[in-house]
Amino acid sequence: GADNALACLHDEDYDVPFNKQNLNYEGLIFVGGREAESLNGEWNFCVDLLDTGLRQKWFAMTPMPAEERPEPYDYDPYVGETVPVPSCWSMLKEKWYFFEGSAWYTRAVDIAEMPADERLFLRIGAAQYDCKVFLNGEFLGNHYGGSTPFNVELTDKAKVGQNWLMLCVNNARTLDRVPMRNTDWFNYGGVYRAVELYRVPKTFVKDLFVRMLPDDTYSKIAIDVEVDGDSSQSAKVSIAELGIDEEIALDANGKGKVIVEAKPELWSPETPRLYDVVATAGSDRVTDRVGFRQIKQIGEELFLNGKSVFLRGISVHEDDEFQGKVLLDDDLKQRFQHAKELNCNFLRLAHYPHDERASKLADELGFMLWEEIPVYWAIDFKNPATFKDADNQLRELVKRDRNRASVIIWSVGNENPDTDERLAFMKGLVDTANEMDGTRLTSAACLVNHTKNRIEDRLAQYINVIGINEYYGWYEENFDDLIEFLDNSDPGKPVVISETGADGYIGEGKLEKGFFSEAYMAEVYRKQIATLKERAFVKGISPWILYDFRVERRQNMYQRGWNRKGLIASDKKTKKEAFKLLSDFYATLKEER
Ligand code: GCB
């Protein structure tokens, strides 16, 4: 009662205890082949604009009939409205469309038994943007970053019988976050990827990293395994089709590594060959399907498996007219189907980590991927906490996806202002990517010196591939400046045109010519294609963008809350004229090779 009353009087520091701890993608990192208990489904739900729940400690309320409550509360987490998990609340009710702030999710978790030789982990696929986790009234931690998975160990927290799990998810935009307040995509809120419980033996495979070493021999597979629990045991890793069956000794930290000679059939978009990998430690067993390939940059060249490669790409957001963030398998499949119709071999998954099913599908279907963290525009580069957040998002992404052959590029940012703080910040991220994974390339959408009209970015020296977003014919109205721009630039490294394009509105009231008309958009594509194909250092293109996508900041009568640069409209069906232009261009490139 007294606590509750005080909560109304004082505003300071009510949230401090809940922002201290930071949850990560740790503990149980490798989930391949494990059986999970899904916690998807209906959860009790309430938006909480004023953070009353943290002030009044809603999480500490015990479930009981309303008439027995000893004191009044302004919400009862255990009864009332429900929403499905996963989902974006923005898409569920019109009054939640622009909601930015905290929202509470509550559900019962029934635990039949808690054997002494097992451990229990809660895994949350993603929650936008921070997520405070409570179990049976106890605060277990807070995760920052809206697009990567994280874990909470529940072994000593959960009890046999009914438990109450609560998540307080907050999608408010602030200056110190990654991204910050201003982005060119919609700020959806919610728990929008799977929530699962995993039971593992006391000794379990915590992490597994399997890849071909990029040493030009195409014959060495490196396997890193990490075991939690009894590290006096060894781990075993086998790839039956390659005759690999290795016993791996573990150090005191449970870590072990081997390099094995093998001659796998190489993974490529043309032959997306994958091998079944099995790892065991004690009674624990995990599996994965892994492709082996080498991606390399030398000077201005890019090589896949020793052959020079051109990235016939398309950029894509994780956005859907009805779901918000993409939630459905069919939607993901349709995306790759459209990329195939475009004759692509490459996708830029902009501007944040997409659902982990995307890279798995790309592995199976044969697409190379650029994966990215939302170090977007002018984030707070001088703030160490902001760096920690960005670095953690990158680490979580790399841990999640580093067995995926499809992923060839880790991108550490997009169009960031040229300052010393930004350079140090982004170099730090490149170092993290290289330290965690020496088998991929690094990139970023780099800077253009608009006065000199040339590529100029101090970050370029630290990365392998220079991404360039250029909008000649659109934001840069004089198209011919592109020719001068390319003439003036001497990158010394492969350039991927990570964005180019124009808005083309094809709905009611559409224009026949000029900005925002489909015809104008097609003309920009025609000119871009003709100009870019002539440049030796351009080693790839991923135009902006596959589908029209929702965005708050674009409100003219042709946009109405949508970025209309999609080659396909927001219905994900209606193709614009430029679709065929790009598809035909990529078809000729495919034939030439
Ligand atoms: C860009 C940004 C992208 C925007 C795009 C646009 O340079 O990287 O996020 O959506 O331009 O349409 O302006």
Side-chain angles (χ1 to χ4, degrees):
D3 265 9
N4 200 341
L6 280 174
C8 310
L9 300 178
H10 301 286
D11 194 48
E12 72 271 17
D13 295 347
Y14 68 90
D15 60 346
V16 168
F18 310 107
N19 288 330
K20 269 185 187 153
Q21 199 177 340
N22 201 3
L23 298 173
N24 301 104
Y25 194 34
E26 268 301 331
L28 178 67
I29 296 165
F30 196 83
V31 291
R34 295 185 187 282
E35 237 175 74
E37 182 187 328
S38 172
L39 297 183
N40 294 344
E42 292 294 314
W43 290 52
N44 289 351
F45 182 77
C46 168
V47 297
D48 179 18
L49 185 65
L50 304 184
D51 277 323
T52 308
L54 293 176
R55 297 165 201 273
Q56 284 186 348
K57 302 194 171 61
W58 289 348
F59 51 86
M61 292 172 75
T62 25
M64 63 176 68
E67 54 271 36
E68 285 168 30
R69 290 224 170 275
E71 59 178 328
Y73 270 89
D74 294 310
Y75 176 59
D76 187 335
Y78 306 99
V79 292
E81 188 156 32
T82 67
V83 298
V85 167
S87 69
C88 297
W89 67 57
S90 335
M91 304 313 297
L92 298 176
K93 279 197 180 176
E94 212 174 337
K95 66 176 178 181
W96 296 335
Y97 186 70
F98 281 131
F99 179 77
E100 296 187 322
S102 292
W104 292 84
Y105 291 79
T106 308
R107 69 162 279 162
V109 179
D110 295 315
I111 307 274
E113 47 171 357
M114 204 47 250
D117 59 351
E118 275 185 10
R119 290 170 69 177
L120 183 66
F121 288 91
L122 171 71
R123 183 182 196 265
I124 298 181
Q128 170 71 11
Y129 178 93
D130 76 45
C131 178
K132 303 170 181 72
V133 180
F134 301 86
L135 188 76
N136 302 325
E138 187 186 346
F139 173 60
L140 300 184
N142 190 348
H143 179 261
Y144 296 92
S147 316
T148 44
F150 58 101
N151 291 320
V152 196
E153 181 158 14
L154 302 183
T155 312
D156 299 321
K157 307 287 180 189
K159 55 181 196 227
V160 173
Q162 191 167 63
N163 295 261
W164 287 96
L165 180 60
M166 286 182 88
L167 307 175
C168 177
V169 178
N170 187 305
N171 73 331
R173 291 163 299 113
T174 66
L175 274 180
D176 59 344
R177 291 187 167 186
V178 186
M180 46 85 180
R181 291 193 297 208
N182 188 18
T183 61
D184 198 45
W185 68 88
F186 195 89
N187 181 31
Y188 296 104
V191 182
Y192 67 95
R193 289 185 191 150
V195 181
E196 301 165 311
L197 278 181
Y198 286 92
R199 284 178 184 273
V200 297
K202 273 255 135 68
T203 295
F204 66 96
V205 177
K206 175 181 175 179
D207 199 3
L208 178 68
F209 180 22
V210 182
R211 72 284 185 193
M212 173 175 271
L213 290 183
D215 66 352
D216 292 324
T217 68
Y218 305 97
S219 67
K220 291 192 194 79
I221 293 176
I223 303 170
D224 280 47
V225 62
E226 192 174 344
V227 171
D228 195 322
D230 181 2
S231 61
S232 68
Q233 298 191 22
S234 55
K236 280 207 178 102
V237 177
S238 65
I239 309 174
E241 283 175 287
L242 293 174
I244 294 175
D245 193 11
E246 289 289 315
E247 176 131 12
I248 306 178
L250 304 171
D251 67 15
N253 298 317
K255 293 187 183 183
K257 179 177 182 143
V258 286
I259 294 173
V260 201
E261 292 281 339
K263 273 278 175 201
E265 218 181 284
L266 299 178
W267 182 96
S268 72
E270 296 75 33
T271 56
R273 177 73 157 97
L274 301 176
Y275 289 87
D276 286 311
V277 178
V278 180
T280 58
S283 62
D284 193 38
R285 181 178 187 275
V286 293
T287 60
D288 205 353
R289 283 170 62 68
V290 179
F292 301 102
R293 52 99 188 100
Q294 175 177 294
I295 186 79
K296 206 164 187 172
Q297 168 255 328
I298 304 173
E300 287 178 354
E301 291 294 326
L302 268 185
F303 297 97
L304 177 68
N305 300 329
K307 282 195 238 122
S308 138
V309 67
F310 187 91
L311 304 176
R312 307 187 306 269
I314 187 69
S315 295
V316 58
H317 256 300
E318 190 174 58
D319 189 78
D320 186 75
E321 188 163 2
F322 305 105
Q323 306 154 56
K325 306 292 273 185
V326 166
L327 304 171
L328 304 174
D329 283 336
D330 283 350
D331 195 312
L332 282 166
K333 282 189 198 139
Q334 168 180 271
R335 169 197 299 179
F336 287 109
Q337 181 54 37
H338 281 140
K340 204 175 147 202
E341 286 174 38
L342 280 172
N343 295 303
C344 288
N345 61 5
F346 173 69
L347 279 89
R348 175 185 183 200
L349 305 187
H351 279 299
Y352 38 74
H354 287 210
D355 193 296
E356 55 209 286
R357 289 170 297 172
S359 56
K360 285 200 177 132
L361 256 178
D363 264 17
E364 301 277 348
L365 299 174
F367 288 95
M368 294 176 277
L369 296 180
W370 157 311
E371 293 199 338
E372 182 168 343
I373 52 167
V375 173
Y376 186 86
W377 292 348
I379 66 166
D380 193 1
F381 287 112
K382 58 185 184 321
N383 184 341
T386 304
F387 178 78
K388 197 176 150 222
D389 188 348
D391 189 64
N392 185 52
Q393 292 186 42
L394 177 62
R395 286 173 192 277
E396 292 181 338
L397 172 63
V398 174
K399 280 185 211 167
R400 196 193 74 178
D401 279 2
R402 64 181 169 180
N403 286 348
R404 302 282 71 83
S406 53
V407 180
I408 57 163
I409 289 173
W410 302 123
S411 171
V412 298
N414 185 79
E415 296 180 352
N416 316 97
D418 187 13
T419 61
D420 292 345
E421 287 89 0
R422 171 265 190 179
L423 185 64
F425 188 110
M426 292 183 70
K427 178 179 184 298
L429 297 175
V430 173
D431 290 345
T432 294
N434 288 331
E435 162 211 316
M436 292 184 71
D437 171 21
T439 68
R440 288 180 177 80
L441 309 176
T442 53
S443 188
C446 292
L447 298 170
V448 171
N449 180 326
H450 285 283
T451 320
K452 297 188 198 152
N453 195 24
R454 55 172 295 171
I455 300 174
E456 204 172 274
D457 192 329
R458 291 181 285 163
L459 183 65
Q461 63 191 301
Y462 302 119
I463 56 184
N464 302 107
V465 171
I466 301 174
I468 291 292
N469 299 349
E470 54 89 352
Y471 284 91
Y472 293 93
W474 187 253
Y475 299 122
E476 310 294 328
E477 283 165 46
N478 183 5
F479 183 84
D480 290 340
D481 286 350
L482 173 61
I483 298 165
E484 190 194 289
F485 169 73
L486 294 166
D487 286 345
N488 290 348
S489 297
D490 180 18
K493 287 190 179 175
V495 169
V496 168
I497 302 297
S498 35
E499 289 178 27
T500 183
D503 282 63
Y505 173 64
I506 58 170
E508 220 183 302
K510 67 178 184 190
L511 296 165
E512 293 309 320
K513 59 181 181 20
F515 288 129
F516 296 98
S517 70
E518 191 183 1
Y520 187 90
M521 175 188 181
E523 193 50 27
V524 168
Y525 267 80
R526 250 179 231 115
K527 289 178 171 168
Q528 285 282 347
I529 288 167
T531 309
L532 292 174
K533 72 176 180 197
E534 302 298 329
R535 295 295 164 149
F537 60 69
V538 174
K539 289 294 183 244
I541 312 178
S542 54
W544 196 252
I545 190 171
L546 185 56
Y547 305 116
D548 287 354
F549 60 97
R550 183 180 275 114
V551 55
E552 293 97 322
R553 60 190 278 278
R554 299 191 184 264
Q555 295 295 341
N556 80 27
M557 62 185 291
Y558 307 109
Q559 299 165 324
R560 295 178 197 269
W562 290 82
N563 184 314
R564 304 285 187 190
K565 296 192 184 70
L567 291 171
I568 301 179
S570 61
D571 63 2
K572 298 189 174 169
K573 289 191 181 75
T574 316
K575 291 170 183 150
K576 303 180 194 171
E577 209 181 315
F579 187 97
K580 183 156 190 309
L581 292 174
L582 189 67
S583 166
D584 289 349
F585 169 52
Y586 284 166
T588 59
L589 290 183
K590 219 164 136 182
E591 275 158 28
E592 281 165 21
R593 280 167 191 260

